[in-house]
């Protein structure tokens, strides 16, 4: 009997805990859509979110979500934190406890912030909030420094160690803060020993982030790692449909494909949202209904905004690898020059629309077969050379920013 294949696109409703924050702290960025859509590109993430909490408690200490900005790492982290927090609250309600002295009518009115389930034991959304602690990594570093100055480390450690779920967002942003990394590694170890869940998000694997210390890296990798990728194919179309219905409900569905076709192949969910909002702005500015011209103008602007020249790529690679741009265009066969030249060719193919012939012309008039060979050899090198892969990612991020 042949097993049924999974649906091309699946989705689930994103839950979100009520998070307490100080008055001056910015609100946590909300998810682009109320549903998380996923296909084969993010099947593991969908599978993890579809499971009961119990298996996560066993293997996901910590749970590491990895992927570029805008793919939904924070939204998924909060979704899982909410589910774990709710389950822990309801588990505590089944345990024998002291009779509540609160007024019965007050108890009936208390509800959780999501799910609409009433608590007859006087547990409010504030209890759930205290069980889910969300903290950008940079905020953790600031609190750590402040606690040292005020000699208040025991209080901070108690709060972090006892939170039911702790979400650490954007770990890569504290790569230059060594003392904070050491403290974070110690807190992760303490929480693991206590059987508590910590959810960490990072742009890449911590082992690939320059500046992250080995003790912290070793504490983030032993659990469950889930990589998130930009939506592809039918998943991307489903997200675009929802965004269009939310921001441009009068648009003809037949025109949606124009925006999809005008955007680059690897676009995050937030970039899809930006494209739809740009169409809506164009229509208001021109006092026009949704039309092909609106989509085409946005696609054109998107293309211009993302333009990266081969010259800028060559300069970036030269700086990163410590060679001269002129040497990369020369006929030199020195190993370090060949390595830099091949990396620049690979990046030019990835980040620009240039043909193999045009790329070859930019590097001393090499023919397209030579360029293709260099690109394929570079891709094969990434598997066994983490430093080279890291250099490629860093250059890509710098050029994209």
């Amino acid at each position: 009997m042949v097993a049924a294949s999974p649906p091309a696109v699946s989705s689930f409703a994103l839950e979100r805990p009520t998070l307490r924050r100080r008055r001056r702290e910015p609100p946590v960025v909300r998810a682009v859509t109320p549903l998380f859509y996923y296909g084969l590109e993010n099947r593991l993430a969908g599978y993890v979110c579809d499971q009961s909490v119990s298996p996560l408690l066993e293997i996901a200490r910590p749970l590491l979500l990895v992927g570029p900005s805008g793919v939904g790492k924070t939204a998924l982290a909060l979704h899982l934190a909410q589910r774990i927090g709710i389950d822990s609250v309801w588990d505590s309600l089944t345990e024998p406890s002291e009779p509540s002295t609160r007024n019965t009518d007050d108890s009936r009115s208390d509800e959780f912030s999501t799910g609409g389930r009433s608590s007859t034991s006087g547990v409010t959304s504030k209890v759930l909030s205290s069980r889910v602690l969300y903290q950008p990594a940079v905020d953790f570093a600031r609190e750590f420094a402040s606690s040292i100055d005020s000699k208040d480390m025991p209080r901070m450690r108690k709060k972090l160690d006892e939170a039911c779920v702790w979400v650490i967002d954007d770990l890569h942003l504290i790569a230059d803060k060594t003392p904070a990394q050491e403290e974070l590694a110690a807190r992760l170890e303490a929480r693991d020993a206590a059987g508590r869940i910590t959810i960490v998000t990072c742009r890449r694997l911590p082992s690939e982030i320059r500046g992250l210390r080995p003790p912290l890296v070793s504490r983030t990798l032993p659990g469950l790692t889930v990589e998130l990728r930009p939506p592809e194919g039918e998943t991307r179309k489903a997200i675009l449909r929802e965004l269009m219905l939310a921001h441009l409900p009068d648009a003809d569905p037949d025109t949606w494909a124009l925006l999809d076709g005008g955007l680059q192949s690897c676009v995050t969910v937030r970039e899809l949202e930006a494209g739809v909002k740009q169409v809506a702005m164009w229509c208001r500015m021109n006092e026009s209904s949704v039309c092909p011209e609106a989509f085409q103008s946005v696609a054109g602007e998107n293309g211009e905004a993302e333009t990266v020249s081969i010259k800028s790529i060559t300069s970036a690679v030269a700086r990163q690898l410590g060679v001269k741009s002129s040497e990369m265009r020369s006929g030199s066969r020195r190993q370090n020059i060949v390595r830099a030249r091949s990396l620049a060719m690979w990046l030019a193919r990835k980040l620009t629309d240039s043909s193999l012939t045009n790329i070859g012309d930019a590097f001393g008039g090499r023919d397209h077969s030579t360029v293709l060979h260099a690109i394929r050899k570079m891709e094969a090198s990434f598997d066994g050379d983490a430093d080279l892969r890291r250099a490629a990612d860093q250059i890509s991020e710098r050029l994209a920013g």
Side-chain angles (χ1 to χ4, degrees):
M1 182 176 179
V2 179
S5 59
V9 181
S10 300
S11 65
F12 56 84
L14 287 167
E15 300 181 35
R16 184 184 178 94
T18 301
L19 301 172
R20 293 181 297 179
R21 60 185 180 87
R22 296 172 182 169
R23 181 176 301 176
R24 295 183 179 180
E25 291 179 346
V28 181
V29 177
R30 291 196 168 272
V32 172
T33 63
L35 298 178
F36 183 83
Y37 293 90
Y38 63 95
L40 292 177
E41 73 280 1
N42 285 317
R43 188 180 177 188
L44 177 58
Y47 177 79
V48 168
C49 292
D50 191 43
Q51 300 304 298
S52 65
V53 168
S54 298
L56 291 178
L57 297 175
E58 296 297 327
I59 64 174
R61 297 204 302 262
L63 172 61
L64 177 63
L65 303 179
V66 178
S69 177
V71 295
K73 299 188 300 297
T74 302
L76 279 189
L78 292 175
H79 170 81
L80 289 167
Q82 167 75 351
R83 289 184 55 208
I84 296 168
I86 286 180
D87 277 21
S88 65
V89 168
W90 284 97
D91 287 345
S92 68
L93 296 182
T94 63
E95 299 174 357
S97 60
E98 293 292 330
S100 176
T101 58
R102 294 183 56 187
N103 182 280
T104 304
D105 293 336
D106 290 341
S107 297
R108 286 198 196 98
S109 66
D110 290 333
E111 292 187 354
F112 291 108
S113 59
T114 60
R117 297 189 287 186
S118 295
S119 166
T120 57
S121 299
V123 179
T124 70
S125 60
K126 290 184 179 180
V127 173
L128 183 58
S129 299
S130 67
R131 290 173 176 264
V132 176
L133 174 62
Y134 170 84
Q135 207 171 31
V138 290
D139 286 354
F140 163 78
R142 293 191 191 103
E143 183 178 10
F144 168 71
S146 176
S147 296
I148 290 179
D149 292 341
S150 60
K151 298 181 180 179
D152 199 17
M153 286 298 297
R155 180 201 59 80
M156 187 196 84
R157 286 171 175 163
K158 184 175 186 295
K159 178 188 72 171
L160 300 181
D161 292 348
E162 294 183 356
C164 175
V165 190
W166 184 22
V167 178
I168 296 289
D169 208 4
D170 291 333
L171 181 67
H172 53 276
L173 295 181
I174 61 169
D176 59 340
K177 304 183 187 303
T178 300
Q181 291 182 45
E182 294 174 352
E183 179 63 26
L184 179 54
R187 303 279 57 79
L188 291 176
E189 182 177 7
R191 289 180 59 80
D192 183 25
R196 299 188 184 278
I197 289 284
T198 307
I199 304 175
V200 181
T201 76
C202 193
R203 182 171 292 175
R204 297 192 302 276
L205 285 173
S207 57
E208 298 177 354
I209 303 294
R210 178 181 296 178
L212 287 186
R213 303 293 298 162
L216 179 57
V217 172
S218 68
R219 291 299 174 191
T220 56
L221 295 179
L224 176 63
T225 299
V226 177
E227 182 180 5
L228 294 172
R229 303 175 185 273
E232 301 174 359
E234 292 302 316
T235 309
R236 169 165 149 156
K237 292 177 182 178
I239 294 171
L240 271 177
R241 281 195 296 270
E242 178 158 333
L243 290 171
M244 293 291 291
L245 289 172
H247 298 284
L248 293 163
D250 298 329
D252 185 346
D254 292 338
T255 64
W256 297 351
L258 290 173
L259 181 57
D260 185 28
L263 296 172
Q264 294 185 349
S265 58
C266 189
V267 177
T268 66
V269 178
R270 292 209 176 276
E271 289 170 334
L272 292 177
E273 180 189 37
V276 173
K277 287 183 175 179
Q278 190 72 20
V279 171
M281 179 64 71
W282 189 95
C283 293
R284 287 196 294 271
M285 182 179 66
N286 292 279
E287 298 182 351
S288 169
S289 59
V290 180
C291 59
E293 288 76 13
F295 293 104
Q296 291 167 3
S297 67
V298 171
E301 291 176 7
N302 177 270
E304 291 173 6
E306 296 295 329
T307 296
V308 177
S309 68
I310 296 179
K311 182 178 180 180
S312 64
I313 291 172
T314 304
S315 299
V317 172
R319 287 194 301 271
Q320 183 79 21
L321 300 186
V323 301
K324 295 181 179 179
S325 298
S326 58
E327 292 178 319
M328 295 165 63
R329 292 188 291 269
S330 71
S332 173
R333 301 302 301 169
R334 295 205 312 271
Q335 187 60 34
N336 64 325
I337 302 300
V338 172
R339 187 168 180 256
R341 183 189 300 128
S342 298
L343 177 57
M345 289 179 175
W346 181 83
L347 287 167
R349 187 61 169 170
K350 176 186 176 184
L351 301 177
T352 75
D353 294 327
S354 301
S355 65
L356 295 175
T357 299
N358 289 338
I359 294 173
D361 289 342
F363 290 95
R366 288 168 169 81
D367 61 49
H368 73 280
S369 60
T370 301
V371 175
L372 183 59
H373 174 74
I375 292 172
R376 288 175 175 172
K377 189 173 181 180
M378 180 57 51
E379 290 174 344
S381 299
F382 287 147
D383 294 335
D385 193 335
D387 290 338
L388 186 61
R389 174 81 255 188
R390 182 163 48 248
D393 289 339
Q394 290 171 348
I395 294 169
S396 296
E397 291 173 8
R398 193 179 307 128
L399 291 171

